[in-house]
Amino acid sequence: MASAKSSRSRPAGHSGVFPVSGAVVGGGGVGGGGGDGGVQLADKLKIFKTDNFDPDAYVQSKCQTMNEKEIRHLCSYLQDLKKASAEEMRRSVYANYAAFIRTSKEISDLEGELLSIRNLLNTQAALIHGLSEGVQIDSLTSGPEGSTDDDISNVEDEEPSEIQKWSADFPDMLDVLLAERRVDEALDALDEAEHVTSDAKQKQNLTTAEIVALKSAISDNRQKLADQLAEAACQSSTRGIELRAAASALKRLGDGPRAHSLLLSAHNQRLQCNMQTIHPSSTSYGGAYTAALAQQVFSVIAQALSDSVEVFGDESCYASELVTWATKQVMSFALLVKRHVLSSCAAAGGLRAAAECVQISLGHCSLLEAHGLSVSAVLLRQFKPSLEQALDSNMRRIEESTAALASADDWILTYPPTGIRPLGRSSAANLALQPKLSSSAHRFNSMVQEFFEDVAPLLSLQLGGSTMDDITKIFNLYVNLLVSALPGSMDDEANIEGLGNKIVRMAETEEQQLALLANASLLAEELLPRAAMKLSSINQSSVDDLRKRGSDKQNRVPEQREWKRKLQRMVDRLRDSFCRQHALELIFTDEGDTHLSAEMYISMDNTVEEPEWVPSPIFQELYAKLNRMSSIAADMFVGRERFATLLMMRLTETVVLWLSEDQAFWEEIEQGPKPLGPLGLQQFYLDMQFVIIFGQGRFLSRHVHQVILDIIDRAMAAFSATGMNPDSVLPGDDWFMDIAQEVVSMISGKGRVANGDREVNSPTASVSAHSMSSFKSHGSS
C-alpha cells in the first residue's frame, strides 16, 4: 500500500526522489519500481530515522558525481514538484472541505457524548468509593505506640472529630463536584480546604499525616480542575459566558497567565474558523471583502479585549499580552487586505478603491479605540506603501490620458459634455456659469477633480503625500502640451520638458491658439484652486491638530498662495510663448527677412516724391491683430477680462521691446553710413504715436509707454547728432494725431472719433496730447 500510494503522488515517468540524467540518488529510488520490494524500501529509509543523520553530508555524498547541468535539472524538478504538491494540497482541501466540516462536527458531538459517559462513570465510582470508605469506621485510628502523633487523643476508641470527618470526606466530595462540573462549588471547597489546613496547623486538631494527605488532595484536585477548565476552554463550542467563567476559575486557581493565554487562544480559534468562510472571489469588489474581513477580525479583537478586562482587569502583564496578540491579528488582517485588494488597486491606479479599503479598516479601528486600544498606526504603516503606489499609478494614468486627449483635441471651447461632471446643476439658468474649455481641458479638469475627491480622505490621515506637488507636476505637463500645440513651438522643442514622444494636434488659427490660453488660465485661476479649497475644508481637522501643536493656521494660507503663483507662472510661460510667436510673425517674413528695419526709415529721404503718411505696415498689422484677438477674447474670457487685457498688453510689449533691444537696428540708426533724415524721423515718430494712440488704456502698459518715450528720445537724439533740430522738421501734434486716429478708425471699422474711442476732452485724450508734446520737447532738448 505504501508503495502504491508513493507512486501515485509523483508525476509519471519519474522514479525516486532525485531522477537526474538516469542516475537516481540512493539506488533505485524511494518507493520506485524496478527490483525494489517493500523490504528494500524499509531498509533504505532506516538512514533517515537515525539520530545522527546529516542531510548535507548525505546530499553531498550522493550528488558529488553530478555536473552543473544535472544539479540545475534537479533543482528545477524539485521546484516543480513543490508547486505541484502545493496545488494538489489546495485542490484536495477545497474538494474535501465540506466533508471535513461535517466530520469535524460529528467528532465534536462524539467527544461530547464520551465526556458525558466519563462523567457518569466517575460519579458512580465516587459513590462506590464513598460507600466503601463509610463502613471503615476505624480507618482514622491513631499510629503506633510511642508516636508523636498520639498527642491529639490518648484514648484509642475515641470518636473522630468533625474536622477529621470533613478532611476524610474531602477527596470524595471534590471528585463528585469535578465529575458533575460544579466548578464554583469545587473552587469553594478548595478554598475551604486551604482554610482548614491553615487552621489545623495552628490548632493542631489534625495529625501531620492527615494534613499532608489533605494538602496532596488539594494539589491534585487543583491540577485536575485546571486541566478540566483548560480542556473546556479549548472546545470550539465554548464561547461567551462559559469562556469567561472558565478563565475566571483558572485565575482563581492561581493560574492567571495560563487562563489569559487560553482566553486569547479561544478567540483566535474562533477568528480562524470564521475567516474560512470569507474569500476574495466571493465578493463583488475589494471594499466588500475588506468590510467582511474587518467585521470578523475587529469584532473578535473587541470581544477578546472586553473579556480580558472583565476577567483580569487592567493588570499590566495581561494588558501587554493582549496588545501583542491584537497587533498580530491586525497585522495578519492588513497583509490579507494588501494581498487581495490593495496590490491590484495600486497597480491599476485605483486610488478610490484603495482609499475606501483604508477608510473601512480605520473605521473598525475606532471600535477598539473606544476600549482604549489603538492599532491604527499598525494599519497605516502597512498600507502606506500600497497607497503611495496607487497615487503614482493614478498620476501616470492622468498624464497618459491627458496626452492622448490633447493629440485629438480640436481646441474649440465648449461647455462640459455629457458624462463629465459639471461644477453645478446644469440648468439653463446657470449654464453660463459652467466653464467653457476644449475637450482635453474638460477631461483633465474632471480627472483632477476626481483625484482630489479620492485623495481627500487620505489627507486627513496624513497619507496623501505631496498632493499639491503632484498636481503642480501634472498641470505643468498639460501646459507643456499646450505650448507644443503652438505652431512656433516646433522650433523650440528643447524648452518643452517631459513630453517625450507625445504628439499634440496643432492650433492653427488665432481662435484655437487663444483657446489654449483660455484652458490654462481658467484651470490655474479658478478650477484647480477651487478644488484645493475643498481639500482644505475636508482636512480642517488636521489643521486644528497643527494649531494644537503650536502651529499657526495662517501659515497654510501663504502655502496655498505660493501654489497658485506656481500655477500662474506656468500660464505665463504659455502666454509668453504665444506672444513671442505672434511677434515674430509680425517682425519677420517667411524668408527670414525683417519687416522692421532701420533701412525702411533711412531710405525714405532718398525719394523725390512726398511719401503717403500712414503708419508702417507692421504697426498697422499689430493693431489689426490686437483688435481681432481682443474681439475673440471677449467671448472666451467672460468674467476674466483682465487676463485678456494683460495678454494684449504683453503682445504689444513683446514687439516694442524687440525694437528697443535690437542692437542692429540702433547701430544703423546711430552709427550707420547714412544718417536718419527728416522724413525717416517723421515716419518713425508717426509709428510710435500710432502705437500710443491705439494702445492707450487697452493694449499699452505704463512700462511700455515709458519704453516708447525712451525709443523716441533715442531716435531724436540720433537725428540731432546730424546737426539738425527735430522741431524744425516735425509737423504739429494735431497732424500726427489725425493720421493715427484715421488709421485706427479704418482698421477697427468704427467711425472716426477724437483720440480713438475717447472724447476730445476726456482725461485720456489730454494725456495723449501731453505725451506728444513731451516727445517734441525731449527732441528739442
Side-chain angles (χ1 to χ4, degrees), residues 657-696:
L657 289 180
W658 185 92
L659 176 61
S660 174
E661 298 170 358
D662 187 8
Q663 296 299 325
F665 179 89
W666 290 107
E667 286 178 1
E668 192 171 353
I669 290 290
E670 297 171 339
Q671 304 172 11
K674 295 180 181 180
L676 180 64
L679 296 181
L681 177 63
Q682 188 173 344
Q683 181 64 49
F684 187 82
Y685 195 99
L686 176 60
D687 289 344
M688 296 299 99
Q689 181 59 32
F690 176 66
V691 174
I692 292 178
I693 291 297
F694 75 68
Q696 192 74 36

Short mmCIF file of all heavy atoms in Angstrom, two decimals, residues 657-696:
data_model
loop_
_atom_site.label_atom_id
_atom_site.label_comp_id
_atom_site.label_asym_id
_atom_site.label_seq_id
_atom_site.Cartn_x
_atom_site.Cartn_y
_atom_site.Cartn_z
N LEU A 657 9.51 95.93 -27.13
CA LEU A 657 10.80 95.60 -26.51
C LEU A 657 11.78 95.03 -27.53
O LEU A 657 13.00 95.26 -27.43
CB LEU A 657 10.59 94.58 -25.38
CG LEU A 657 9.90 95.12 -24.11
CD1 LEU A 657 9.76 94.02 -23.08
CD2 LEU A 657 10.68 96.30 -23.53
N TRP A 658 11.27 94.31 -28.52
CA TRP A 658 12.18 93.84 -29.56
C TRP A 658 12.80 95.02 -30.29
O TRP A 658 14.01 95.03 -30.56
CB TRP A 658 11.41 92.96 -30.55
CG TRP A 658 12.32 92.34 -31.59
CD1 TRP A 658 12.92 91.14 -31.52
CD2 TRP A 658 12.72 92.93 -32.83
NE1 TRP A 658 13.69 90.92 -32.64
CE2 TRP A 658 13.59 92.01 -33.47
CE3 TRP A 658 12.44 94.14 -33.47
CZ2 TRP A 658 14.17 92.26 -34.71
CZ3 TRP A 658 13.03 94.40 -34.69
CH2 TRP A 658 13.88 93.47 -35.31
N LEU A 659 11.99 96.01 -30.61
CA LEU A 659 12.51 97.22 -31.28
C LEU A 659 13.49 97.94 -30.38
O LEU A 659 14.55 98.41 -30.83
CB LEU A 659 11.35 98.14 -31.65
CG LEU A 659 11.73 99.50 -32.26
CD1 LEU A 659 12.49 99.30 -33.57
CD2 LEU A 659 10.48 100.34 -32.50
N SER A 660 13.20 98.05 -29.10
CA SER A 660 14.07 98.77 -28.17
C SER A 660 15.40 98.05 -27.97
O SER A 660 16.43 98.71 -27.79
CB SER A 660 13.35 98.92 -26.82
OG SER A 660 14.21 99.49 -25.85
N GLU A 661 15.41 96.73 -28.06
CA GLU A 661 16.62 95.97 -27.74
C GLU A 661 17.35 95.45 -28.97
O GLU A 661 18.37 94.75 -28.83
CB GLU A 661 16.24 94.79 -26.83
CG GLU A 661 15.64 95.22 -25.50
CD GLU A 661 15.05 94.06 -24.72
OE1 GLU A 661 15.08 92.92 -25.26
OE2 GLU A 661 14.57 94.28 -23.59
N ASP A 662 16.87 95.79 -30.20
CA ASP A 662 17.52 95.32 -31.41
C ASP A 662 18.78 96.16 -31.68
O ASP A 662 18.70 97.30 -32.16
CB ASP A 662 16.55 95.42 -32.59
CG ASP A 662 17.12 94.79 -33.85
OD1 ASP A 662 18.19 94.16 -33.76
OD2 ASP A 662 16.52 94.95 -34.92
N GLN A 663 19.94 95.59 -31.35
CA GLN A 663 21.20 96.33 -31.48
C GLN A 663 21.51 96.67 -32.94
O GLN A 663 22.03 97.76 -33.24
CB GLN A 663 22.34 95.51 -30.87
CG GLN A 663 22.21 95.26 -29.38
CD GLN A 663 22.19 96.56 -28.58
OE1 GLN A 663 22.87 97.54 -28.92
NE2 GLN A 663 21.40 96.58 -27.51
N ALA A 664 21.21 95.77 -33.86
CA ALA A 664 21.49 96.03 -35.28
C ALA A 664 20.70 97.24 -35.76
O ALA A 664 21.21 98.07 -36.55
CB ALA A 664 21.16 94.79 -36.11
N PHE A 665 19.45 97.35 -35.31
CA PHE A 665 18.61 98.49 -35.72
C PHE A 665 19.23 99.80 -35.26
O PHE A 665 19.39 100.75 -36.02
CB PHE A 665 17.21 98.29 -35.13
CG PHE A 665 16.25 99.41 -35.45
CD1 PHE A 665 15.48 99.37 -36.60
CD2 PHE A 665 16.12 100.51 -34.60
CE1 PHE A 665 14.59 100.41 -36.89
CE2 PHE A 665 15.24 101.54 -34.89
CZ PHE A 665 14.46 101.49 -36.02
N TRP A 666 19.61 99.86 -34.00
CA TRP A 666 20.09 101.13 -33.45
C TRP A 666 21.52 101.44 -33.88
O TRP A 666 21.90 102.62 -33.99
CB TRP A 666 20.00 101.12 -31.92
CG TRP A 666 18.56 101.16 -31.48
CD1 TRP A 666 17.84 100.16 -30.96
CD2 TRP A 666 17.68 102.28 -31.58
NE1 TRP A 666 16.56 100.55 -30.69
CE2 TRP A 666 16.43 101.88 -31.07
CE3 TRP A 666 17.83 103.59 -32.05
CZ2 TRP A 666 15.33 102.73 -31.01
CZ3 TRP A 666 16.74 104.45 -32.00
CH2 TRP A 666 15.49 104.01 -31.47
N GLU A 667 22.33 100.44 -34.14
CA GLU A 667 23.66 100.71 -34.67
C GLU A 667 23.59 101.37 -36.03
O GLU A 667 24.36 102.29 -36.35
CB GLU A 667 24.46 99.41 -34.75
CG GLU A 667 24.93 98.90 -33.39
CD GLU A 667 25.67 97.58 -33.51
OE1 GLU A 667 25.83 97.11 -34.65
OE2 GLU A 667 26.08 97.03 -32.46
N GLU A 668 22.64 100.93 -36.85
CA GLU A 668 22.49 101.53 -38.17
C GLU A 668 21.89 102.93 -38.08
O GLU A 668 22.26 103.82 -38.86
CB GLU A 668 21.62 100.64 -39.05
CG GLU A 668 21.65 101.02 -40.51
CD GLU A 668 20.98 99.98 -41.40
OE1 GLU A 668 20.60 98.91 -40.87
OE2 GLU A 668 20.82 100.25 -42.60
N ILE A 669 20.99 103.14 -37.13
CA ILE A 669 20.39 104.48 -36.97
C ILE A 669 21.43 105.46 -36.44
O ILE A 669 21.52 106.61 -36.90
CB ILE A 669 19.18 104.40 -36.02
CG1 ILE A 669 18.01 103.66 -36.69
CG2 ILE A 669 18.74 105.80 -35.58
CD1 ILE A 669 17.35 104.41 -37.81
N GLU A 670 22.20 105.05 -35.45
CA GLU A 670 23.11 105.96 -34.76
C GLU A 670 24.52 106.01 -35.36
O GLU A 670 25.19 107.05 -35.30
CB GLU A 670 23.23 105.55 -33.29
CG GLU A 670 21.91 105.65 -32.55
CD GLU A 670 21.94 105.05 -31.15
OE1 GLU A 670 22.84 104.22 -30.89
OE2 GLU A 670 21.08 105.40 -30.32
N GLN A 671 24.98 104.93 -35.96
CA GLN A 671 26.36 104.89 -36.42
C GLN A 671 26.50 104.45 -37.88
O GLN A 671 27.62 104.21 -38.35
CB GLN A 671 27.18 103.92 -35.54
CG GLN A 671 27.12 104.25 -34.06
CD GLN A 671 27.76 103.18 -33.21
OE1 GLN A 671 28.43 102.29 -33.74
NE2 GLN A 671 27.60 103.29 -31.90
N GLY A 672 25.37 104.28 -38.55
CA GLY A 672 25.43 103.79 -39.92
C GLY A 672 26.00 104.82 -40.89
O GLY A 672 26.15 106.01 -40.56
N PRO A 673 26.30 104.38 -42.10
CA PRO A 673 26.87 105.32 -43.12
C PRO A 673 25.89 106.40 -43.54
O PRO A 673 26.29 107.50 -43.91
CB PRO A 673 27.23 104.39 -44.27
CG PRO A 673 26.36 103.17 -44.09
CD PRO A 673 26.18 103.02 -42.62
N LYS A 674 24.60 106.10 -43.47
CA LYS A 674 23.59 107.09 -43.84
C LYS A 674 22.83 107.51 -42.59
O LYS A 674 22.31 106.66 -41.87
CB LYS A 674 22.60 106.49 -44.85
CG LYS A 674 23.25 106.15 -46.19
CD LYS A 674 22.21 105.57 -47.14
CE LYS A 674 22.83 105.19 -48.48
NZ LYS A 674 21.80 104.62 -49.41
N PRO A 675 22.76 108.79 -42.32
CA PRO A 675 22.06 109.23 -41.11
C PRO A 675 20.55 109.18 -41.29
O PRO A 675 20.03 109.07 -42.40
CB PRO A 675 22.55 110.66 -40.93
CG PRO A 675 22.85 111.11 -42.33
CD PRO A 675 23.37 109.92 -43.07
N LEU A 676 19.85 109.25 -40.19
CA LEU A 676 18.38 109.31 -40.20
C LEU A 676 17.97 110.70 -40.64
O LEU A 676 18.32 111.71 -40.01
CB LEU A 676 17.83 109.00 -38.81
CG LEU A 676 16.32 109.01 -38.65
CD1 LEU A 676 15.67 107.92 -39.50
CD2 LEU A 676 15.93 108.83 -37.19
N GLY A 677 17.19 110.78 -41.73
CA GLY A 677 16.79 112.06 -42.28
C GLY A 677 15.47 112.56 -41.71
O GLY A 677 14.82 111.87 -40.90
N PRO A 678 15.04 113.77 -42.15
CA PRO A 678 13.78 114.35 -41.65
C PRO A 678 12.58 113.48 -41.94
O PRO A 678 11.72 113.29 -41.08
CB PRO A 678 13.70 115.69 -42.38
CG PRO A 678 15.12 116.02 -42.75
CD PRO A 678 15.79 114.72 -43.03
N LEU A 679 12.47 112.91 -43.16
CA LEU A 679 11.31 112.08 -43.48
C LEU A 679 11.32 110.78 -42.66
O LEU A 679 10.27 110.30 -42.21
CB LEU A 679 11.31 111.76 -44.98
CG LEU A 679 11.15 112.97 -45.91
CD1 LEU A 679 11.15 112.52 -47.37
CD2 LEU A 679 9.88 113.74 -45.60
N GLY A 680 12.49 110.21 -42.50
CA GLY A 680 12.59 108.99 -41.70
C GLY A 680 12.22 109.23 -40.25
O GLY A 680 11.52 108.41 -39.63
N LEU A 681 12.68 110.37 -39.70
CA LEU A 681 12.31 110.71 -38.33
C LEU A 681 10.81 110.92 -38.20
O LEU A 681 10.18 110.49 -37.24
CB LEU A 681 13.07 111.96 -37.88
CG LEU A 681 12.71 112.46 -36.48
CD1 LEU A 681 13.07 111.43 -35.42
CD2 LEU A 681 13.41 113.79 -36.19
N GLN A 682 10.22 111.61 -39.20
CA GLN A 682 8.78 111.87 -39.17
C GLN A 682 7.99 110.57 -39.22
O GLN A 682 6.99 110.39 -38.50
CB GLN A 682 8.42 112.78 -40.35
CG GLN A 682 6.98 113.27 -40.32
CD GLN A 682 6.70 114.31 -41.41
OE1 GLN A 682 7.65 114.87 -41.97
NE2 GLN A 682 5.45 114.56 -41.68
N GLN A 683 8.44 109.60 -40.07
CA GLN A 683 7.75 108.31 -40.15
C GLN A 683 7.90 107.53 -38.84
O GLN A 683 6.95 106.92 -38.35
CB GLN A 683 8.33 107.49 -41.31
CG GLN A 683 7.67 106.14 -41.50
CD GLN A 683 6.20 106.25 -41.88
OE1 GLN A 683 5.86 107.01 -42.81
NE2 GLN A 683 5.33 105.54 -41.17
N PHE A 684 9.10 107.55 -38.26
CA PHE A 684 9.32 106.84 -37.01
C PHE A 684 8.47 107.43 -35.89
O PHE A 684 7.88 106.71 -35.08
CB PHE A 684 10.82 106.92 -36.64
CG PHE A 684 11.19 106.08 -35.46
CD1 PHE A 684 11.43 104.74 -35.58
CD2 PHE A 684 11.28 106.65 -34.19
CE1 PHE A 684 11.77 103.97 -34.48
CE2 PHE A 684 11.61 105.89 -33.08
CZ PHE A 684 11.86 104.54 -33.24
N TYR A 685 8.40 108.79 -35.87
CA TYR A 685 7.60 109.48 -34.87
C TYR A 685 6.12 109.11 -35.03
O TYR A 685 5.40 108.87 -34.06
CB TYR A 685 7.81 110.98 -35.02
CG TYR A 685 7.34 111.80 -33.85
CD1 TYR A 685 8.24 112.24 -32.88
CD2 TYR A 685 6.00 112.15 -33.69
CE1 TYR A 685 7.83 113.02 -31.81
CE2 TYR A 685 5.57 112.89 -32.61
CZ TYR A 685 6.49 113.34 -31.68
OH TYR A 685 6.07 114.08 -30.62
N LEU A 686 5.67 109.04 -36.30
CA LEU A 686 4.27 108.69 -36.57
C LEU A 686 3.98 107.26 -36.12
O LEU A 686 2.92 106.99 -35.54
CB LEU A 686 4.00 108.85 -38.06
CG LEU A 686 2.59 108.41 -38.55
CD1 LEU A 686 1.50 109.22 -37.85
CD2 LEU A 686 2.48 108.54 -40.07
N ASP A 687 4.91 106.34 -36.37
CA ASP A 687 4.70 104.95 -35.97
C ASP A 687 4.55 104.82 -34.45
O ASP A 687 3.65 104.12 -33.95
CB ASP A 687 5.87 104.08 -36.44
CG ASP A 687 5.86 103.90 -37.96
OD1 ASP A 687 4.82 104.17 -38.58
OD2 ASP A 687 6.90 103.49 -38.51
N MET A 688 5.44 105.50 -33.71
CA MET A 688 5.38 105.41 -32.26
C MET A 688 4.11 106.05 -31.71
O MET A 688 3.50 105.56 -30.76
CB MET A 688 6.61 106.07 -31.64
CG MET A 688 7.93 105.37 -31.97
SD MET A 688 8.00 103.64 -31.39
CE MET A 688 7.61 102.74 -32.91
N GLN A 689 3.73 107.20 -32.36
CA GLN A 689 2.50 107.85 -31.92
C GLN A 689 1.27 106.99 -32.22
O GLN A 689 0.33 106.92 -31.43
CB GLN A 689 2.36 109.21 -32.61
CG GLN A 689 1.12 109.99 -32.20
CD GLN A 689 1.10 110.26 -30.70
OE1 GLN A 689 2.15 110.42 -30.10
NE2 GLN A 689 -0.09 110.30 -30.13
N PHE A 690 1.32 106.28 -33.32
CA PHE A 690 0.23 105.38 -33.67
C PHE A 690 0.08 104.28 -32.61
O PHE A 690 -1.04 103.93 -32.21
CB PHE A 690 0.51 104.77 -35.05
CG PHE A 690 -0.51 103.76 -35.48
CD1 PHE A 690 -1.83 104.13 -35.74
CD2 PHE A 690 -0.17 102.42 -35.63
CE1 PHE A 690 -2.77 103.19 -36.14
CE2 PHE A 690 -1.10 101.49 -36.02
CZ PHE A 690 -2.41 101.87 -36.28
N VAL A 691 1.21 103.72 -32.13
CA VAL A 691 1.15 102.69 -31.10
C VAL A 691 0.54 103.25 -29.82
O VAL A 691 -0.27 102.59 -29.16
CB VAL A 691 2.56 102.13 -30.83
CG1 VAL A 691 2.53 101.16 -29.65
CG2 VAL A 691 3.11 101.43 -32.07
N ILE A 692 0.91 104.50 -29.49
CA ILE A 692 0.35 105.10 -28.28
C ILE A 692 -1.14 105.35 -28.44
O ILE A 692 -1.93 105.10 -27.50
CB ILE A 692 1.09 106.41 -27.95
CG1 ILE A 692 2.53 106.10 -27.52
CG2 ILE A 692 0.38 107.18 -26.86
CD1 ILE A 692 3.35 107.33 -27.23
N ILE A 693 -1.56 105.79 -29.60
CA ILE A 693 -2.97 106.11 -29.81
C ILE A 693 -3.83 104.86 -29.70
O ILE A 693 -4.83 104.83 -28.98
CB ILE A 693 -3.16 106.79 -31.18
CG1 ILE A 693 -2.55 108.19 -31.16
CG2 ILE A 693 -4.64 106.88 -31.54
CD1 ILE A 693 -3.19 109.14 -30.18
N PHE A 694 -3.46 103.78 -30.43
CA PHE A 694 -4.33 102.59 -30.39
C PHE A 694 -4.14 101.78 -29.11
O PHE A 694 -5.00 100.99 -28.73
CB PHE A 694 -4.12 101.70 -31.63
CG PHE A 694 -2.87 100.88 -31.63
CD1 PHE A 694 -2.66 99.82 -30.76
CD2 PHE A 694 -1.87 101.14 -32.58
CE1 PHE A 694 -1.50 99.05 -30.81
CE2 PHE A 694 -0.72 100.38 -32.62
CZ PHE A 694 -0.53 99.33 -31.72
N GLY A 695 -3.01 101.97 -28.42
CA GLY A 695 -2.77 101.16 -27.23
C GLY A 695 -3.15 101.81 -25.93
O GLY A 695 -3.19 101.13 -24.89
N GLN A 696 -3.42 103.12 -25.96
CA GLN A 696 -3.69 103.83 -24.72
C GLN A 696 -4.92 103.26 -24.02
O GLN A 696 -6.03 103.26 -24.54
CB GLN A 696 -3.92 105.32 -25.02
CG GLN A 696 -3.92 106.21 -23.80
CD GLN A 696 -2.52 106.41 -23.25
OE1 GLN A 696 -1.57 106.50 -24.01
NE2 GLN A 696 -2.40 106.49 -21.96
#
